[in-house]
Amino acid sequence: MFGRKTKTILSTQDGDCIMLDQVPDPVFAEKMLGDGVAVIPTDNVVKSPVDGVVVQVFDTLHAYSIQSSDGLDILVHIGLNTVELKGEGFSPKVKSGDKVKAGDVLCETDINFLREKGYEIYTPIVITNISDIKSFKPIPGNVRAGETAVIEYSIK
């Protein structure tokens, strides 16, 4: 382990962290965008999983792209197929270019509203430049937003 520093990605929400291949959406389950985990949230606040810069807040407010301070590209995608809501039910608290610390609020959403509209509330946290990772270890289980590690990794 000499010379290798393991880092962590924190949970975006309170709830349960599951393996990405358990998400009922092939884009995530088959890791087409990269590898990661997903949180099944129990609250409405979505926090940054890392220190970094917000690269993009999607026009439909359901997804956030963050570049971590060590160069990872991380996608936080709130709900499945929620792009169809065109921003309804999402209240962003950051904009592109904002610097964030792990645990800073990215967005507030109404998970009950999402459920009522028929959407799954899984929040995938995906490293889209996974080829830059030397080691990757998902950590499933009960999680707290901005506190519990959901992924341990090291950079090549």
Side-chain angles (χ1 to χ4, degrees), residues 10-14 39 45-49 76 106 123 125 145-146 150:
L10 302 180
S11 181
T12 53
Q13 291 152 290
D14 293 351
V39 175
V45 178
V46 182
K47 295 183 178 181
S48 179
V76 175
L106 296 176
T123 299
I125 305 164
V150 294

Side-chain angles (χ1 to χ4, degrees), residues 104-124:
D104 287 353
V105 177
L106 296 176
C107 177
E108 290 181 10
T109 188
D110 185 342
I111 60 175
N112 291 327
F113 170 80
L114 298 181
R115 280 189 186 116
E116 288 167 8
K117 292 287 188 177
Y119 293 92
E120 297 281 356
I121 59 169
Y122 297 81
T123 299

Side-chain angles (χ1 to χ4, degrees), residues 27-72:
V27 171
F28 296 108
E30 296 173 19
K31 302 175 184 176
M32 293 178 194
L33 301 175
D35 207 347
V37 295
V39 175
I40 303 170
T42 57
D43 71 336
N44 295 319
V45 178
V46 182
K47 295 183 178 181
S48 179
V50 293
D51 295 348
V53 175
V54 177
V55 175
Q56 181 180 10
V57 175
F58 286 63
D59 291 342
T60 48
L61 312 177
H62 75 292
Y64 297 76
S65 178
I66 301 167
Q67 184 169 65
S68 71
S69 56
D70 59 359
L72 291 187

